[in-house]
Amino acid sequence: MGHRCCSKQKVKRGLWSPEEDDKLVKHITTHGHGSWSSVPKLAGLQRCGKSCRLRWINYLRPDLKRGSFTAEEEQIIIDVHRILGNRWAQIAKHLPGRTDNEVKNFWNSCIKKKLLSQGLDPKTHNLLSSRQRASTKLACKYSSSSPSSQPQHGSFTVFNITSHAKDTNNNNNTMMMNPPPPVVAFPHQSPNPNTTYAQNLYGSSMDTPFVSSSSCFGNMLYESDPCIWDDANAVVETFEEPRVDSLPPVPQPQQQENDDKIDMDCSLMEGGAGSFDLGLLESTLLSAAMDDFGWNF
DNA sequence: AACAAAGGCAACCGCAGATCG
DNA sequence: TCGATCTGCGGTTGCCTTTGT
């Protein structure tokens, strides 16, 4: 069964040869791709247009960054995935030079296992129940390439934030935020141990589209040491063992997507804002929504 | 050294939305 | 308005390499 676009002609499948790559690159660099369905014919390739498009986008584009993912990229993937779920194309937009396919493969082969080994459900980013953790411990060993990326002391550092936001009329009405979803710190993954991961992230030279309008959240998000964070009247508590069963589930991106639209009034904002990087959340949701609605600025 | 299992990754498949005539 | 085609996306498959026995 072939693609509709190429069902009439005999097409080659499987790995691309250097000659085919060469033909495709030459054609696109001189003529552009135009209509992908006409590319194979014009380029003299016995491939279907879809295959040509995929090959170009994933491997031949000159702006691709090859090589293994950096710790920063890995953290970005985890953060954005927590918000958007398996929207690989959206996630890849946060990683210049990376493709959705590359991100997806990296997630499935590395990050997923790493999260599992750290007791996290890769779908929900929630802590697994003790029973689930026991089963995953049996099933999977640490897959990390660096020993330092293993959880230390066999425990997690989980922030629990209680925000005492004062209302604008200066009275002392305190607004107790709903219990936030768990956020697990990965201090061992920070490239610079003297700065928080978010600082590394936002302060990196990488051309990240993130613009954090609430950097206080961003800065505390990956704080590794036990601390009381009192900026903006929020209190951070840490505890050694996660209270797995009492923690509420992270709202599922999939659940928020009706007709594949991001609900801008989503429950992430309402309930768990305290433990999310709001800057990342804002920019990611906004860019996703802008994409969904076709807004360009 | 040979074989099996696991991991990693490139490519394919099918669906859904967009576009065009 | 509608059907055909194109494009983009996420899920899945299958091949090749690496690792373990």
Side-chain angles (χ1 to χ4, degrees):
Chain A
M1 189 163 104
H3 295 144
R4 274 177 308 206
C5 66
C6 51
S7 55
K8 297 164 201 158
Q9 52 189 320
K10 257 194 170 180
V11 293
K12 192 183 165 207
R13 295 193 192 182
L15 295 178
W16 281 64
S17 67
E19 292 75 27
E20 289 177 305
D21 282 347
D22 194 44
K23 281 183 181 178
L24 186 59
V25 168
K26 274 181 182 162
H27 173 75
I28 292 180
T29 49
T30 52
H31 302 99
H33 62 73
S35 166
W36 280 111
S37 56
S38 62
V39 165
K41 192 179 174 185
L42 296 172
L45 290 161
Q46 302 231 314
R47 295 271 180 178
C48 92
K50 242 180 160 178
S51 182
C52 293
R53 177 184 158 271
L54 201 69
R55 186 66 186 169
W56 173 258
I57 288 174
N58 285 339
Y59 303 99
L60 300 176
R61 259 166 48 198
D63 59 326
L64 285 179
K65 184 201 284 185
R66 308 303 302 191
S68 47
F69 283 79
T70 65
E72 285 185 11
E73 288 176 315
E74 181 180 330
Q75 193 58 53
I76 290 170
I77 293 169
I78 293 170
D79 287 340
V80 181
H81 184 275
R82 181 167 50 213
I83 298 166
L84 295 178
N86 292 1
R87 299 178 71 175
W88 306 117
Q90 292 290 334
I91 296 171
K93 284 179 186 174
H94 291 275
L95 301 160
R98 302 293 190 184
T99 69
D100 55 350
N101 205 41
E102 209 175 358
V103 171
K104 180 171 59 182
N105 282 337
F106 183 55
W107 177 272
N108 286 327
S109 61
C110 297
I111 300 181
K112 211 168 167 179
K113 287 167 196 167
K114 192 177 274 186
L115 291 179
L116 281 171
S117 74
Q118 291 170 341
L120 291 169
D121 183 340
K123 284 183 184 172
T124 64
H125 294 256
N126 279 345
L127 289 160
L128 295 165
S129 68
S130 48
R131 180 189 274 183
Q132 285 173 306
R133 271 191 288 162
S135 64
T136 55
K137 268 178 188 170
L138 285 174
C140 105
K141 295 178 177 179
Y142 291 116
S143 62
S144 170
S145 54
S146 92
S148 63
S149 65
Q150 296 179 10
Q152 291 164 3
H153 315 303
S155 68
F156 302 92
T157 303
V158 177
F159 294 109
N160 187 17
I161 302 153
T162 306
S163 176
H164 302 274
K166 295 174 184 170
D167 75 13
T168 50
N169 292 328
N170 82 10
N171 56 32
N172 284 333
N173 290 345
T174 56
M175 181 182 73
M176 300 296 286
M177 298 177 75
N178 292 334
V183 173
V184 176
F186 301 108
H188 43 276
Q189 292 176 343
S190 178
N192 180 347
N194 296 319
T195 58
T196 64
Y197 202 95
Q199 285 167 338
N200 281 315
L201 187 67
Y202 293 114
S204 76
S205 60
M206 218 173 96
D207 183 20
T208 165
F210 300 159
V211 177
S212 175
S213 60
S214 49
S215 59
C216 54
F217 286 107
N219 285 341
M220 55 71 62
L221 189 59
Y222 300 100
E223 197 69 59
S224 59
D225 297 321
C227 63
I228 298 296
W229 174 77
D230 198 29
D231 195 5
N233 303 306
V235 177
V236 178
E237 302 167 16
T238 66
F239 32 85
E240 276 299 299
E241 273 296 318
R243 294 176 298 183
V244 173
D245 295 328
S246 64
L247 291 165
V250 174
Q252 285 306 285
Q254 287 83 359
Q255 292 167 358
Q256 297 155 13
E257 291 174 24
N258 294 327
D259 298 327
D260 204 34
K261 300 293 181 204
I262 291 290
D263 183 0
M264 294 301 288
D265 197 22
C266 66
S267 59
L268 273 176
M269 300 283 197
E270 293 163 358
S275 63
F276 276 91
D277 181 337
L278 288 186
L280 173 60
L281 179 67
E282 280 171 25
S283 64
T284 304
L285 281 178
L286 189 60
S287 66
M290 282 163 57
D291 283 343
D292 284 344
F293 290 114
W295 297 342
N296 291 307
F297 295 103

